[in-house]
Amino acid sequence: QGIVYNNLLDATEMYISQNPRKLAKNSKKAYNTFLGMLNRYANKKGKSSLRFESINLTFEENFTKFLNENGYRQNYVDKMKMFVKAIMNYSTDKGWNSNMEFRKIKRKPEKVDTIALREEEIELIRKAKVPTNYEVTRDVFVFSCLTGLRFSDYMNIEPENRKGEFLNIKSIKTGKFITVPLVEKAAKILDKYAGKSPKMSDPAFNGQRKEVFKLIPVCNENEIIHSSAGGEITAKKVKRYELIASHTGRRTFATIWALSNKLSIPEIMEITGHESIASFQRYVRLDKANVKATLEK
């Protein structure tokens, strides 16, 4: 009959090793991150706290508190809780678990303002003088703004993906092929690295991004952002460089082209690889400056 598991930690290790859904590289990495978090939790609370019969609303409260105490925001907490439910469902299907209380665990998403840059901002960043060791981070970001590629897809570009003025790429996230037009400025960035993407991990990018963008005057402007957690909306003033992350480039691409009226939404979605209007619309940021800049053209 094989081994029967009775706790979340061991079941997660088994899930990763068996890889029943043939997880993509990034998804497997995310599950390993989750496993590491469970180990940290078990070190503090004891492995018995992760037994299947303990995975209920009390566990949710304790796990959330643990993550908050370690500085993680609500959206990351929600991501970890969805991993909990995925492994519990897997364990239920395997016949190891009979406790259905885990199904009461719910996401409580935090809404946080994100930004998209304007065309003139991208150009200022592209031309900005930055230390040599920061050029890759800057170039990766600008390339994303100009193509709308996911960070994971950009990191896998090879010379053979380029077909004249286009890139043909199989998306890591969806497994589907997308064709991305290469505007001249994006092509120059690719040429700079001999036709392939310089190797850089998402954590490495996010580790450098603030140091890079705080050197660029336009990224030091103030921005008022709003967030909601637990039903309470708060506002605070931050520098724009604090809001620029690996996904900002993709949002910027979608926003600029959605406002330009030069391409239809379905045409933009063909480039970005979005599969639904709803998911695409979450990327478009109609801030006042973007709208004003578009109206003045």
Side-chain angles (χ1 to χ4, degrees):
Q1 290 185 342
I3 301 173
V4 175
Y5 294 92
N6 63 9
N7 68 83
L8 197 59
L9 190 60
D10 292 339
T12 302
E13 288 183 337
M14 171 55 73
Y15 182 82
I16 293 171
S17 65
Q18 292 294 310
N19 200 8
R21 293 175 55 202
K22 292 183 170 55
L23 299 172
K25 182 179 179 181
N26 281 6
S27 296
K28 193 168 184 179
K29 182 179 177 181
Y31 271 96
N32 275 307
T33 299
F34 170 64
L35 178 62
M37 196 66 69
L38 288 181
N39 272 303
R40 289 171 61 188
Y41 185 78
N43 287 338
K44 183 172 183 178
K45 300 288 188 179
K47 192 172 179 179
S48 62
S49 66
L50 294 174
R51 290 178 66 87
F52 292 145
E53 61 264 29
S54 300
I55 309 303
N56 51 30
L57 293 179
T58 300
F59 164 80
E60 178 186 19
E61 182 180 346
N62 292 333
F63 192 50
T64 298
K65 183 180 179 181
F66 166 78
L67 292 168
N68 289 336
E69 287 173 348
N70 281 275
Y72 294 103
R73 298 187 61 138
Q74 185 60 45
N75 287 339
Y76 188 83
V77 172
D78 278 344
K79 184 177 181 180
M80 292 296 103
K81 289 197 292 187
M82 291 306 99
F83 282 127
V84 168
K85 295 186 76 170
I87 298 300
M88 290 298 289
N89 277 317
Y90 168 71
S91 301
T92 302
D93 291 343
K94 297 288 284 186
W96 303 334
N97 171 61
S98 59
N99 168 31
M100 296 297 109
E101 288 295 302
F102 77 90
R103 291 181 175 170
K104 294 180 182 178
I105 295 174
K106 303 292 184 184
R107 298 182 66 182
K108 298 174 184 176
E110 174 188 17
K111 294 181 180 178
V112 181
D113 283 348
T114 53
I115 63 170
L117 304 187
R118 301 181 291 280
E119 288 183 79
E120 61 268 26
E121 290 179 308
I122 300 169
E123 188 62 7
L124 287 169
I125 293 171
R126 188 180 73 85
K127 292 181 176 180
K129 300 281 187 187
V130 297
T132 303
N133 58 319
Y134 286 163
E135 283 190 13
V136 170
T137 298
R138 190 270 311 277
D139 293 345
V140 165
F141 178 72
V142 172
F143 193 87
S144 176
C145 291
L146 297 173
T147 63
L149 280 176
R150 292 183 179 91
F151 190 91
S152 57
D153 291 333
Y154 172 68
M155 284 300 116
N156 286 291
I157 295 174
E158 296 291 341
E160 54 266 30
N161 293 121
R162 186 170 177 177
K163 308 297 180 184
E165 297 179 345
F166 295 88
L167 284 175
N168 291 332
I169 299 172
K170 184 178 181 181
S171 173
I172 289 177
K173 183 174 181 179
T174 66
K176 294 185 177 181
F177 283 93
I178 54 175
T179 299
V180 179
L182 265 182
V183 297
E184 183 180 358
K185 291 170 185 176
K188 285 183 178 179
I189 292 174
L190 210 54
D191 291 341
K192 179 178 176 179
Y193 298 99
K196 59 183 180 180
S197 54
K199 299 309 175 187
M200 177 179 235
S201 67
D202 201 339
F205 175 89
N206 284 316
Q208 275 197 353
R209 61 187 171 87
K210 286 186 181 181
E211 298 305 315
V212 175
F213 296 119
K214 72 166 56 172
L215 298 173
I216 302 171
V218 70
C219 298
N220 277 271
E221 295 177 0
N222 289 325
E223 189 86 20
I224 302 295
I225 64 165
H226 302 82
S227 63
S228 66
E232 181 180 351
I233 298 176
T234 60
K236 65 177 180 178
K237 185 190 295 184
V238 300
K239 298 292 185 182
R240 283 175 74 79
Y241 67 75
E242 295 185 61
L243 301 174
I244 296 176
S246 56
H247 247 49
T248 306
R250 193 162 155 77
R251 288 193 188 97
T252 295
F253 179 88
T255 299
I256 287 174
W257 287 103
L259 287 171
S260 72
N261 288 323
K262 294 178 181 177
L263 293 175
S264 67
I265 297 301
E267 286 173 324
I268 302 170
M269 288 171 59
E270 279 292 315
I271 299 170
T272 61
H274 284 100
E275 297 183 336
S276 72
I277 293 289
S279 63
F280 173 79
Q281 287 176 330
R282 287 197 293 271
Y283 272 74
V284 178
R285 293 292 176 266
L286 302 180
D287 64 44
K288 293 178 182 177
N290 260 319
V291 173
K292 183 175 183 294
T294 301
L295 291 174
E296 288 179 343
K297 289 182 179 179

